[in-house]
Amino acid sequence: MSDSPAPTDGFSDLGLSPLMLTALAQAEYTEPTPVQAGLIPRALQGSDLLGQARTGTGKTAAFAIPILERVERSKQGFPQALILVPTRELAVQVRGEITKLAFGRKTRVLAVYGGKPIRGQTEKLSRGTEVVVGTPGRVLDHMARGTLKMDCLQVVVLDEADRMLDIGFRPDIEKILRRCPKDRQTLLLSATVPGPVERLARRYMQNPESLNFSPKELSGETIDQFYFTVDQDRKYELLKRLLDREKPRQAIVFCRTKRGTDRLAVKLGKKNPGVACIHGDMHQGARDRVMQQFRESDVKILIATDVVGRGIDVSGVSHIINYDTPTFCDDYVHRVGRTGRMGKDGIAEGVAYTFVTPEEGGELTNIEMRINKLLIRDEIRDFTTVRVKDVEQKETAPAKPPGPPLKKGGRPKRRIRRAL
Ligand code: ADP
Ligand code: MG
């Protein structure tokens, strides 16, 4: 390992140990993000916190840093921190981030999630670990078997709380929280805080302080967001042409259903190398493999469903394409948050395209109201996306989707590059 770079000023005002500052320098985190600057000092004091900040703003480190400062390697090895996350992919990702920040410590971090044999995890738990990251189902399973000891938990984190509730983890989460020691600290992180999250927080947290870092814009201004009006049966052709035009470094294409995801991946994969898909019906091994290939850029175009696509943090993602509009507008925010993530220089950029069928005008408006911003209409030169409905015009006039006319020559010029 190379020499550690010198600790920097950015984090040194937050009351962190020299060990932590070294780990941060090692990770090349020079400045805390707003959610980190806000949460870390309060979390270090032991308060219960509800932190809201948009995707990609460093919420993981915001809870990982205070946890690492608090837990200590123990001989007995009962977990001292438990982090609940909605998906297996996130469990792996969060474990990775904590391990990175545990640089120079002996702290053990273990991920427990379904789809992997329980035995290996049980063995690792019995050998002892300070931090456990897990999906609620598998955590409950280990609790029931007595392999996950709850008695020494000092900190419990609900990460991506909104999504955990969306996918029906509420009863599991409540069961887990009821079994946690009463005097623990609870941290809840979420990109959005709808009513059910707020109620959960009030019920299981002690005077939680609410910190909101995304008051106005939920989906970053750092991301250029466009839409196409397109007939359902022309979406595939549009996708091909859009990929041709954009030549994305790496893209995630979101579909609404698992079968749709499969079908699109097969069709697109026939013509293009580097296409893969990921959804909840795939075996864990296959999902892990695809994510690994995506991280290593062997996969350039990942076709995904919302549940799995959520929270994926792959820094190279330049394009998000919503092949189907999301069922819930919150999902739009999460999908688009997959791009526009922080670069090494603290600058984010990315672009998102949403395919809207002529019947989905209402959905488009809902999204725009949700993000408080209008999507810009785009079109592909010489490609008609909407069939002309009027019989008389059919052979003579090209289809003209509704909305204001667009500049000739494809994508409007506006590109924002802006520090987070
Ligand atoms: P969120 O949970 O808010 O969606 P993540 O915790 O996944 O965001 O962080 C997004 C990316 O930003 C990760 O790649 C992470 O390593 C990076 N990151 C986090 N904090 C910093 C920082 N202070 N400086 C630079 N990069 C950071
Ligand atoms: Mg996160």
Side-chain angles (χ1 to χ4, degrees):
M1 217 163 296
S2 61
D3 283 351
S4 313
T8 55
D9 283 331
F11 279 96
S12 55
D13 294 340
L14 303 182
L16 300 172
S17 67
L19 194 55
M20 194 72 242
L21 293 176
T22 308
L24 286 163
Q26 186 70 27
E28 295 182 24
Y29 291 6
T30 47
E31 290 292 328
T33 65
V35 67
Q36 291 164 0
L39 253 73
I40 293 169
R42 291 172 173 90
L44 287 171
Q45 289 171 353
S47 320
D48 279 5
L49 301 173
L50 196 162
Q52 179 182 354
R54 76 173 188 87
T55 321
T57 54
K59 293 192 289 297
T60 318
F63 63 75
I65 291 170
I67 286 178
L68 287 166
E69 293 283 47
R70 183 159 177 178
V71 305
E72 272 179 2
R73 171 130 181 169
S74 74
K75 216 159 160 202
Q76 187 189 33
F78 289 172
Q80 295 160 46
L82 172 66
I83 297 139
L84 298 173
V85 295
T87 63
R88 303 152 180 187
E89 280 71 23
L90 262 179
V92 172
Q93 195 173 296
V94 168
R95 178 192 49 197
E97 176 86 357
I98 302 180
T99 307
K100 181 167 79 180
L101 296 173
F103 174 81
R105 299 177 196 256
K106 295 213 169 76
T107 312
R108 292 162 290 184
V109 187
L110 178 67
V112 299
Y113 48 91
K116 279 255 163 81
I118 199 157
R119 256 232 325 249
Q121 295 170 3
T122 305
E123 232 161 68
K124 287 194 183 125
L125 281 168
S126 73
R127 269 186 257 140
T129 182
E130 282 69 47
V131 182
V132 174
V133 186
T135 50
R138 188 49 71 96
V139 165
L140 268 181
D141 209 345
H142 280 293
M143 279 166 58
R145 290 161 190 255
T147 44
L148 176 60
K149 299 273 187 283
M150 311 289 281
D151 313 328
C152 297
L153 285 179
Q154 299 179 34
V155 189
V156 176
V157 178
L158 308 181
D159 191 21
E160 309 266 4
D162 48 355
R163 167 51 48 140
M164 286 202 285
L165 296 188
D166 276 358
I167 53 183
F169 278 135
R170 187 185 183 115
D172 290 356
I173 294 171
E174 298 202 25
K175 257 185 235 158
I176 296 167
L177 290 178
R178 279 198 294 267
R179 290 273 309 276
C180 293
K182 288 267 166 315
D183 59 353
R184 65 164 194 275
Q185 177 180 25
T186 312
L187 306 175
L188 186 151
L189 288 303
S190 212
T192 62
V193 179
V197 174
E198 182 105 44
R199 283 195 289 280
L200 186 81
R202 269 205 225 112
R203 193 144 170 213
Y204 291 97
M205 296 169 78
Q206 290 181 356
N207 307 319
E209 191 182 344
S210 200
L211 301 164
N212 184 356
F213 297 91
S214 51
K216 290 219 179 63
E217 40 133 11
L218 278 159
S219 170
E221 278 173 24
T222 53
I223 302 162
D224 291 347
Q225 301 175 59
F226 300 92
Y227 75 93
F228 287 95
T229 306
V230 58
D231 283 333
Q232 185 64 34
D233 61 4
R234 295 193 183 193
K235 279 186 180 177
Y236 180 68
E237 191 57 34
L238 172 61
L239 177 65
K240 276 202 330 201
R241 288 175 189 243
L242 182 61
L243 291 172
D244 258 5
R245 186 185 82 181
E246 293 289 312
K247 305 199 173 24
R249 185 174 59 223
Q250 263 192 310
I252 306 182
V253 180
F254 281 101
C255 294
R256 216 180 261 197
T257 64
K258 294 169 191 167
R259 279 193 46 210
T261 306
D262 267 336
R263 270 201 303 263
L264 184 59
V266 169
K267 205 164 161 188
L268 200 64
K270 277 189 188 143
K271 297 263 160 59
N272 303 277
V275 174
C277 78
I278 188 161
H279 58 67
D281 277 355
M282 286 161 57
H283 289 303
Q284 189 57 39
R287 282 165 62 167
D288 290 346
R289 232 173 2 256
V290 168
M291 277 316 300
Q292 185 65 23
Q293 289 166 345
F294 194 51
R295 239 170 243 126
E296 288 167 2
S297 288
D298 293 337
V299 166
K300 298 263 184 266
I301 300 168
L302 183 65
I303 324 267
T305 53
D306 284 298
V307 168
V308 177
R310 166 90 166 230
I312 288 176
D313 169 35
V314 174
S315 53
V317 178
S318 53
H319 289 66
I320 297 296
I321 299 171
N322 296 315
Y323 193 81
D324 299 316
T325 57
T327 317
F328 305 105
C329 2
D330 275 358
D331 281 328
Y332 178 84
V333 177
H334 290 294
R335 288 177 175 190
V336 169
R338 300 305 98 218
T339 186
R341 310 211 115 201
M342 226 173 319
K344 279 240 167 356
D345 51 359
I347 305 276
E349 64 169 357
V351 56
Y353 294 93
T354 301
F355 293 3
V356 184
T357 65
E359 300 76 38
E360 289 178 328
E363 272 90 336
L364 179 61
T365 309
N366 286 341
I367 290 170
E368 293 178 330
M369 279 163 59
R370 184 76 181 77
I371 62 173
N372 198 19
K373 178 172 169 176
L374 293 178
L375 270 55
I376 303 164
R377 194 165 67 80
D378 197 355
E379 51 188 42
I380 301 268
R381 200 197 298 236
D382 301 327
F383 176 62
T384 307
T385 48
V386 182
R387 197 171 293 117
V388 181
K389 297 283 181 322
D390 185 343
V391 181
E392 278 187 38
Q393 286 185 2
K394 197 164 186 171
E395 299 305 326
T396 53
K400 202 154 192 259
L406 185 86
K407 291 182 211 75
K408 285 258 172 344
R411 187 209 287 170
K413 278 201 222 79
R414 203 176 63 97
R415 278 197 74 75
I416 306 167
R417 241 182 159 250
R418 180 169 171 271
L420 276 170

